[in-house]
Amino acid sequence: MTKKQTEKAFLESYDIHDFDVPLTSVDMAIFTVRSEKLQVLLVKRAQHPALGQWALPGGFIDLKLDKTLMDTAKRKLYEKTGVRIPYLEQVETFGSQGRDPRGWSVTISYLALIPSDHITLGKDDSSEQVAWVPVDEAEDQYPLAFDHNRILEACHQRLRSKVQYTSLPVNLLPNEFTLTELQQTFELVLGNTVEKKSFRRRILDADILEATGNMKTGSNRPAKLYRVKPEGQSHFFTRNIEGPR
Amino acid sequence: MTKKQTEKAFLESYDIHDFDVPLTSVDMAIFTVRSEKLQVLLVKRAQHPALGQWALPGGFIDLKLDKTLMDTAKRKLYEKTGVRIPYLEQVETFGSQGRDPRGWSVTISYLALIPSDHITLGKDDSSEQVAWVPVDEAEDQYPLAFDHNRILEACHQRLRSKVQYTSLPVNLLPNEFTLTELQQTFELVLGNTVEKKSFRRRILDADILEATGNMKTGSNRPAKLYRVKPEGQSHFFTRNIEGPR
DNA sequence: TGACTTAGGGGCATTGAGCCACTAACATAA
DNA sequence: TTATGTTAGTGGCTCAATGCCCCTAAGTCA
């Protein structure tokens, strides 16, 4: 018997149902900016366990539909928001004996950023109650299901941390935006102010934006409109931005 | 019937064996410095699938023994190296339909750093063949089992990236070390040279080391010995280090 | 036409890193 | 005892990026 035949025989006799394995799911923190606040999407659980509690959207891997974990995340995001191509990044995997009453479970958490003008709730047929909640409120005033408060904090922390040295917040804005809007979005995510000149120098030197020539009009000098260059999605800067002391 | 009773009933009737779930495991890249090279621990698989191929150490979660994913990682690390308290960090979770011939599978990867003087191979009773391999060789010349080449690259990349702005490499050295040894370790991990003065300024300004007063003797000026301050395990710097142009 | 508001940039001060050369402290050999 | 070689450790200049302040630009509106 060759080694290959042996492996084939092994695989034929293998059945995962014979083993004790953890439950494995995907949960995600979907962020956007609404009413000048960083907000996160929550769903009210329509099923046991934790029925009726607020939770991060998520669910099990569909072994038929999904080819990768990212597929599961994309599917969930689309079901909840109707957004197909957002910024999506894996954050951290939580797994323990007690985090789900059903037993040993593992959840892979994802961070999603979607533009504020792309929100179309209710594509989902699960008839779950869905709400956008300011992140600070969600962290401090909502007792989320399972360990979702911890997951949310991990995602929020990752977001804040990456904003220090990347251009991530462009994914929270519509296609076209002004530098002032971009700066305000940075400030929202960072939670502190940013020095205007340093910010503009940094963004423009990074060469990730292109002006669209149009102007945004108001009762003052119009601002140039920019959009992200095709390959400029996630640029890394060299230093931090800090506000005035 | 109250809500709580309903949940209890739900949990009693719940059986994970009724569902299709992915296989879930933990794999890890254990790094150390040997012969002035960054090396990684590989094991030769003693079981199907991929029997006889080199792979990263890892295995399934023991739902009885392990309370968290970190426990699984610690247990595996101890089995292979005899090290109990290393630097251990979760890196990335890989999950897909095809990465394991047994079917849909998920693996949570961990990065471990152990001091070069703590290595005691063979605590394991699995009688697997175990080897330290220079990382570059492992990546380029070893066709690892499953998607372990990709996992190794992710861990290696995470390590290199974090060395840019943290003091991680102290975990690759014995308790006491000289600044020159520390610099050499940084250079090994980074793959390029580091400017001496800048390096020392940065490390000492960070205030994460304390001199032990002793000196290391040689045929030249003795170097001060340092050790990591109790709470200085993983300091974050503000900027990058770069070698001469 | 002047007041008001936000966009955008000029230019200097400050800070931290790169760099090189210099001194310090040992062993060893003449 | 002294010269020599080697590595440890530092002083101090240069350069580049950022912080900071304030000026100008370009609109609306009364």
Side-chain angles (χ1 to χ4, degrees), chain A residues 161-178:
Chain A
S161 149
K162 285 197 85 164
V163 168
Q164 302 282 343
Y165 56 97
T166 69
S167 58
L168 265 197
V170 297
N171 298 291
L172 291 165
L173 288 169
N175 257 333
E176 296 193 327
F177 48 85
T178 68

Side-chain angles (χ1 to χ4, degrees), chain B residues 76-97:
Chain B
K76 289 289 162 191
L77 180 75
Y78 180 69
E79 286 171 7
K80 302 298 173 200
T81 67
V83 174
R84 279 211 186 274
I85 314 169
Y87 178 84
L88 197 54
E89 169 186 343
Q90 188 183 296
V91 177
E92 188 180 341
T93 298
F94 297 85
S96 74
Q97 211 171 52

Side-chain angles (χ1 to χ4, degrees), chain A residues 66 90 93 97 104 239, chain B residues 66-67 90 93 97 104 239:
Chain A
D66 307 326
Q90 188 185 296
T93 298
Q97 211 172 51
W104 234 108
R239 274 219 217 177
Chain B
D66 306 326
K67 290 205 186 309
Q90 188 183 296
T93 298
Q97 211 171 52
W104 233 107
R239 276 219 215 175

Side-chain angles (χ1 to χ4, degrees), chain B residues 10-95:
Chain B
F10 164 82
L11 287 174
E12 278 166 2
S13 69
Y14 182 87
D15 184 355
I16 193 176
H17 294 95
D18 298 340
F19 298 91
D20 282 335
V21 292
L23 259 185
T24 305
S25 61
V26 167
D27 287 310
M28 53 199 316
I30 307 171
F31 294 104
T32 198
V33 172
R34 300 175 77 216
S35 324
E36 296 175 20
K37 281 180 193 160
L38 183 68
Q39 308 213 1
V40 64
L41 190 73
L42 298 182
V43 298
K44 199 168 219 169
R45 287 187 56 83
Q47 298 172 340
H48 284 296
L51 178 73
Q53 277 192 265
W54 288 102
L56 295 175
F60 296 111
I61 300 163
D62 186 319
L63 303 197
K64 298 277 190 299
L65 279 182
D66 306 326
K67 290 205 186 309
T68 65
L69 283 175
M70 185 67 96
D71 288 343
T72 310
K74 280 184 188 163
R75 184 169 53 80
K76 289 289 162 191
L77 180 75
Y78 180 69
E79 286 171 7
K80 302 298 173 200
T81 67
V83 174
R84 279 211 186 274
I85 314 169
Y87 178 84
L88 197 54
E89 169 186 343
Q90 188 183 296
V91 177
E92 188 180 341
T93 298
F94 297 85

Side-chain angles (χ1 to χ4, degrees), chain A residues 134-204:
Chain A
V135 175
D136 300 333
E137 286 180 33
E139 285 175 344
D140 300 337
Q141 297 163 35
Y142 282 63
L144 301 182
F146 312 117
D147 53 355
H148 284 196
N149 278 299
R150 198 170 143 217
I151 297 177
L152 173 57
E153 263 171 55
C155 292
H156 188 195
Q157 182 52 45
R158 167 73 64 90
L159 177 59
R160 262 178 307 192
S161 149
K162 285 197 85 164
V163 168
Q164 302 282 343
Y165 56 97
T166 69
S167 58
L168 265 197
V170 297
N171 298 291
L172 291 165
L173 288 169
N175 257 333
E176 296 193 327
F177 48 85
T178 68
L179 286 185
T180 302
E181 287 167 348
L182 184 57
Q183 179 175 344
Q184 286 165 349
T185 308
F186 268 81
E187 290 174 341
L188 271 179
V189 176
L190 283 169
N192 58 31
T193 59
V194 165
E195 210 283 320
K196 185 171 63 164
K197 184 68 192 297
S198 304
F199 178 77
R200 303 173 86 92
R201 211 169 16 203
R202 192 164 146 148
I203 293 287
L204 295 177

Side-chain angles (χ1 to χ4, degrees), chain B residues 41-245:
Chain B
L41 190 73
L42 298 182
V43 298
K44 199 168 219 169
R45 287 187 56 83
Q47 298 172 340
H48 284 296
L51 178 73
Q53 277 192 265
W54 288 102
L56 295 175
F60 296 111
I61 300 163
D62 186 319
L63 303 197
K64 298 277 190 299
L65 279 182
D66 306 326
K67 290 205 186 309
T68 65
L69 283 175
M70 185 67 96
D71 288 343
T72 310
K74 280 184 188 163
R75 184 169 53 80
K76 289 289 162 191
L77 180 75
Y78 180 69
E79 286 171 7
K80 302 298 173 200
T81 67
V83 174
R84 279 211 186 274
I85 314 169
Y87 178 84
L88 197 54
E89 169 186 343
Q90 188 183 296
V91 177
E92 188 180 341
T93 298
F94 297 85
S96 74
Q97 211 171 52
R99 55 175 298 280
D100 187 308
R102 285 167 286 189
W104 233 107
S105 69
V106 170
T107 195
I108 300 103
S109 65
Y110 280 80
L111 156 64
L113 303 182
I114 67 180
S116 43
D117 62 345
H118 272 212
I119 300 167
T120 35
L121 289 182
K123 295 253 175 178
D124 199 1
D125 54 358
S126 69
S127 73
E128 275 173 324
Q129 193 181 336
V130 171
W132 286 105
V133 178
V135 174
D136 300 334
E137 285 180 33
E139 284 176 344
D140 300 338
Q141 296 163 35
Y142 282 64
L144 302 182
F146 312 117
D147 53 355
H148 285 196
N149 278 299
R150 198 169 143 215
I151 297 177
L152 173 57
E153 263 171 54
C155 292
H156 188 195
Q157 181 53 44
R158 167 73 64 91
L159 176 59
R160 261 178 307 190
S161 148
K162 284 197 86 164
V163 169
Q164 302 283 344
Y165 57 95
T166 70
S167 59
L168 264 197
V170 296
N171 299 290
L172 291 166
L173 287 170
N175 256 333
E176 295 194 328
F177 48 84
T178 68
L179 286 185
T180 302
E181 286 167 348
L182 184 57
Q183 178 175 346
Q184 286 166 349
T185 308
F186 267 82
E187 290 173 342
L188 271 179
V189 176
L190 283 169
N192 58 32
T193 60
V194 165
E195 209 284 320
K196 185 170 62 164
K197 183 69 191 295
S198 305
F199 178 77
R200 302 173 86 93
R201 213 171 12 204
R202 193 165 146 148
I203 293 288
L204 294 176
D205 288 356
D207 197 35
I208 50 175
L209 300 184
E210 55 189 11
T212 59
N214 301 322
M215 301 282 188
K216 193 166 212 174
T217 178
S219 73
N220 47 24
R221 174 171 175 175
K224 279 186 194 165
L225 281 175
Y226 290 88
R227 67 170 164 230
V228 179
K229 282 189 179 178
E231 301 83 16
Q233 283 298 125
S234 81
H235 177 81
F236 281 70
F237 301 111
T238 49
R239 276 219 215 175
N240 291 350
I241 317 173
E242 277 163 32
R245 295 178 187 164

Side-chain angles (χ1 to χ4, degrees), chain A residues 11 43 67 71 84 107 125 129 135-136 165 167 176 182 185 196 198 206 220 228 244:
Chain A
L11 288 174
V43 299
K67 291 205 186 308
D71 287 344
R84 278 212 187 274
T107 195
D125 54 357
Q129 193 180 335
V135 175
D136 300 333
Y165 56 97
S167 58
E176 296 193 327
L182 184 57
T185 308
K196 185 171 63 164
S198 304
N220 48 23
V228 179

